[in-house]
Amino acid sequence: MALRRSISRLAMVYLVTLCLKTAFVSAFSSTNTPTTPTSSVQQRSANQQALEDAPPFPRTWVPLASVYELHPDRPTPLRFLGQSYVTYQSNDGQWAVFDDACPHRLAPLSEGRVDRQKNRLECSYHGWEFDADGRCQEIPQADFSTMQKAMQNERCHVKSYPVHVEKNILFVWPWADEDPLITVSQPHCAPEHFMEGVSENCTTYTRDLPYGWDTLLENIVDPSHVPFAHHGLQGKREDAIPINMTSPSDLSPEGFVFQFEDRTMSMRRQGGAVFRAPFVIHYKADFETPSKEKQKKRANSPKVFNLTAIMLPTKPGWSRIILMGAPRTKQIEKKEKERLVAKIFRKLPSWLVHTFSNRFLDSDLAFLHFQEQERERRGVDARAYFMPAQSDRCVSALRKWILQYAHIPGPLPAPLTDRGVLFNRWTQHGEHCRHCTSARKRVAKWRTNTLRLLAISLVLAKFTAARVVAALSLLLLNRLSAVDKAFSDGGFSHYDNH
Ligand code: FES
Ligand SMILES: [Fe+2]
C-alpha cells in the first residue's frame, strides 16, 4: 500500500515538473530555443490568419494607397479589413509592405524610421532593423551568436507581402495560401483590371472617412445626392430632376454596370458606370451642351465626365477613398483642345486641389456617418430604407451584391459626436499626404518670418513705411492662419449654404 502511494506521489511530481518545464520552454522559446514553423498555419502572419478567420471577402489584389501621396522617407500605416500594415520605399524605389507590428514586442513599425544609409526600416522602440523583404538584420541588444541563432527563427522577421504599383496605386496581396498569380486566370482580380481607363501618372486624392466601405460605395453609385449634398461645389439644387437609371440585374463576382441620365451644373448628362468589385467605380458620361452657340465653341473640346474612385474597407465604421485625377502633364491630341478650366485645374498645386477635395467630401460626411449609425441601430440593414424613385436602383443592387459576395466589417464603433474629430482633415488626409505636409510646413515658415517682420516694423513704428509693413504683416498673418486651418479643420453647415 505504502509502495503504491509513493509510486503515485512520484508520478504526480513527475507530471507537475513536466508541465512546468513545457510552460517555461514555450514562454521563452522566442529567445532561447529558435524553432522552425512546422505547419502552414504557423507560417501565416497574424494579419493573414485574421483575414482567414473573418467572414469571406473577395480575394483580389487590394489597392491600399497612392504612391503619388505617400511620403517616400517615412513609414506610413495602412489598414485593410481591420488589419494593420506599414509601407515604406526602399532605396531602389520599390515599395515594401509589412505587418505593422515589430516581431520583438509588437510596437508599430509605422512609428519607426527609414534608415537610408543602411536601406532598412528601423523599429524605433529598441532599434531592431529590417530589410525590404522584412528580414531582421540587426538586434542591438543581442551579441553576434545570439543574433545569428535568433535570425534562424522565422519569428525574428516581419511578414512582407507581394506588392504591385499600377498607375500610382499601391496594390498588395494580403491573403494567405494563395498565389497572387492566380489573377492570370482571374483577370477581374488584377490591378490592371481595376485601373483600366485611368491615365498613367495620374494625380490622386486620398481620404480616410468616418463611415464604412458599404456606405461609401452606396454614396458613389448615387448621383442623385449631388445637387443637394454638394450644392455650390458641383452643381446646384436646381439641377435636381427625376433621374433615369437602369436596374443592374447582371450581378456577378466581378460587380455590375448601370446607365443613367441626370442633370448637373445646368447641363443634362448621360452615361454609365461600372462597379469593378469590390473596390472601384468608374463613371463615364457626356454632357449635352445647352445652346447651339456653345456647341460650336465646344466642338473640339467636348465636355465629358470621367471619374474613377477606389473604395477600401479599412476598419469597422471607416473607409478609404482614393479619387483619381488628371495627370500633371497631359499629352493632347493635335485636333483636341483642352478646356481652359481643366487646363488651369491641372496646373494648380496638389495641396490646393486637395483643399478643395477636402471641402467637397466634408459636405456629405455627416450624413453618411450618422446614416449608417442609424441603419445599424435599426438592425435590418438596407431594408430600413424607403426608396421609391429610379435613382436608388443602384443602391438596391449594391446591397444585393454585398449580401451575395462580401461582408461588411463591423460592428460599428460609437458615433463621433465631437465635430472636430468627425471632420478632422489632418488625420483623415493631410498627415499622410506629402503634398499637404510640405505645404503646411511652408505656411508655418511664412508665419514665422512674417511675425519677425511684424516685430521689426513695430520697433520702427515711428516711420510711416514701417507702419504700412506692420499692417500688411497682420493681414498676411490672418490669411496664413486661414490657410493653416484649412489643412486641419473641416466641417460643413448646409443651413448656411444658400
Ligand atoms: S518592439 Fe520593436 S524593437 Fe522592440
Ligand atoms: Fe494632400
Side-chain angles (χ1 to χ4, degrees):
M1 191 68 178
L3 184 66
R4 271 174 63 191
R5 245 189 241 137
S6 327
I7 289 173
S8 66
R9 243 184 241 146
L10 266 174
M12 188 68 91
V13 169
Y14 175 75
L15 273 174
V16 169
T17 315
L18 193 69
C19 286
L20 282 174
K21 197 175 163 191
T22 313
F24 182 84
V25 167
S26 69
F28 292 95
S29 63
S30 58
T31 51
N32 293 353
T33 42
T35 54
T36 311
T38 48
S39 74
S40 63
V41 173
Q42 278 173 303
Q43 282 166 352
R44 283 177 192 162
S45 72
N47 280 358
Q48 284 176 318
Q49 192 59 51
L51 290 182
E52 286 295 300
D53 296 342
F57 196 85
R59 289 181 180 231
T60 68
W61 279 88
V62 179
L64 284 187
S66 158
V67 301
Y68 179 74
E69 293 168 70
L70 286 175
H71 293 271
D73 283 324
R74 75 180 205 204
T76 303
L78 302 167
R79 301 295 291 254
F80 172 60
L81 286 177
Q83 309 312 310
S84 303
Y85 304 88
V86 58
T87 188
Y88 84 101
Q89 191 174 33
S90 66
N91 287 2
D92 60 2
Q94 301 298 312
W95 291 88
V97 174
F98 304 156
D99 282 343
D100 192 14
C102 175
H104 177 217
R105 276 168 39 201
L106 309 182
L109 291 167
S110 54
E111 290 293 329
R113 69 182 191 98
V114 179
D115 184 329
R116 281 281 166 235
Q117 282 189 337
K118 294 183 183 169
N119 191 21
R120 290 177 191 163
L121 178 61
E122 177 196 275
C123 174
S124 298
Y125 193 11
H126 306 96
W128 287 33
E129 292 173 8
F130 304 90
D131 67 17
D133 294 322
R135 311 301 292 175
C136 180
Q137 299 293 349
E138 179 69 41
I139 302 176
Q141 296 76 18
D143 60 34
F144 185 74
S145 68
T146 310
M147 197 164 79
Q148 291 301 308
K149 207 168 157 191
M151 283 175 184
Q152 286 162 22
N153 189 329
E154 277 307 302
R155 293 185 60 189
C156 191
H157 310 289
V158 64
K159 175 72 190 168
S160 138
Y161 293 92
V163 165
H164 178 97
V165 175
E166 181 73 18
K167 295 179 179 168
N168 276 343
I169 299 300
L170 178 71
F171 283 85
V172 173
W173 187 268
W175 314 102
D177 299 340
E178 271 188 52
D179 185 347
L181 289 177
I182 197 170
T183 54
V184 173
S185 58
Q186 297 183 26
H188 68 277
C189 301
E192 294 81 1
H193 164 75
F194 289 122
M195 302 310 291
E196 200 188 316
V198 173
S199 328
E200 294 287 345
N201 298 321
C202 52
T203 55
T204 62
Y205 162 79
T206 301
R207 184 153 170 187
D208 291 316
L209 294 160
Y211 43 86
W213 157 83
D214 55 318
T215 305
L216 172 58
L217 277 171
E218 200 182 280
N219 176 257
I220 302 291
V221 297
D222 162 30
S224 70
H225 76 282
V226 175
F228 296 96
H230 303 300
H231 169 77
L233 300 169
Q234 187 189 327
K236 47 191 190 305
R237 294 183 185 103
E238 295 72 41
D239 287 330
I241 52 168
I243 291 180
N244 294 326
M245 185 176 270
T246 57
S247 201
S249 52
D250 49 347
L251 307 189
S252 75
E254 287 92 340
F256 55 79
V257 293
F258 63 93
Q259 312 293 324
F260 71 100
E261 259 183 83
D262 70 348
R263 183 169 63 183
T264 185
M265 295 177 284
S266 310
M267 285 175 283
R268 283 197 170 257
R269 180 171 63 169
Q270 188 175 32
V274 51
F275 170 41
R276 293 181 193 139
F279 300 121
V280 174
I281 291 176
H282 179 71
Y283 272 95
K284 190 161 183 161
D286 291 310
F287 285 92
E288 195 182 82
T289 40
S291 69
K292 279 195 174 170
E293 221 174 86
K294 283 192 177 173
Q295 265 177 20
K296 248 188 201 172
K297 273 190 194 169
R298 287 179 181 164
N300 291 332
S301 55
K303 193 168 161 60
V304 289
F305 174 75
N306 242 320
L307 173 75
T308 303
I310 297 174
M311 285 130 302
L312 183 74
T314 47
K315 57 183 179 179
W318 285 82
S319 57
R320 164 166 283 199
I321 188 166
I322 307 176
L323 292 168
M324 313 305 298
R328 304 284 296 162
T329 50
K330 198 177 171 193
Q331 297 290 335
I332 308 287
E333 294 287 320
K334 257 191 183 168
K335 58 179 180 185
E336 189 193 345
K337 236 167 74 189
E338 193 182 19
R339 289 172 53 75
L340 185 66
V341 182
K343 211 178 202 170
I344 293 171
F345 207 72
R346 205 158 45 72
K347 299 284 176 203
L348 293 178
S350 290
W351 67 266
L352 191 56
V353 177
H354 289 185
T355 308
F356 298 148
S357 307
N358 275 334
R359 180 152 173 77
F360 188 81
L361 288 185
D362 281 356
S363 58
D364 56 8
L365 189 146
F367 298 135
L368 299 168
H369 177 76
F370 293 108
Q371 168 204 18
E372 77 174 3
Q373 291 283 341
E374 180 61 16
R375 196 177 59 230
E376 176 149 299
R377 192 182 69 81
R378 296 189 183 199
V380 287
D381 200 16
R383 279 165 295 163
Y385 295 165
F386 177 60
M387 302 185 288
Q390 273 196 23
S391 55
D392 286 319
R393 279 178 164 173
C394 281
V395 174
S396 306
L398 176 75
R399 288 289 164 189
K400 270 188 211 148
W401 186 91
I402 291 174
L403 273 178
Q404 212 170 331
Y405 297 109
H407 81 278
I408 304 162
L412 292 181
L416 297 173
T417 45
D418 179 343
R419 288 179 87 82
V421 178
L422 185 65
F423 288 97
N424 191 326
R425 294 173 176 178
W426 191 245
T427 53
Q428 293 171 17
H429 168 74
E431 69 176 341
H432 299 306
C433 170
R434 64 187 162 99
H435 306 282
C436 289
T437 313
S438 55
R440 201 173 188 191
K441 272 186 194 157
R442 286 198 298 276
V443 169
K445 229 181 215 172
W446 270 81
R447 283 175 84 178
T448 312
N449 290 336
T450 313
L451 272 171
R452 281 188 192 134
L453 189 65
L454 179 64
I456 295 167
S457 53
L458 286 177
V459 170
L460 303 172
K462 61 180 177 187
F463 302 107
T464 314
R467 288 200 294 277
V468 172
V469 171
L472 289 175
S473 304
L474 279 173
L475 196 69
L476 184 58
L477 277 173
N478 175 283
R479 290 299 79 209
L480 288 171
S481 295
V483 174
D484 186 64
K485 231 174 142 210
F487 283 116
S488 55
D489 301 358
F492 203 92
S493 309
H494 284 274
Y495 50 78
D496 277 337
N497 187 29
H498 299 295

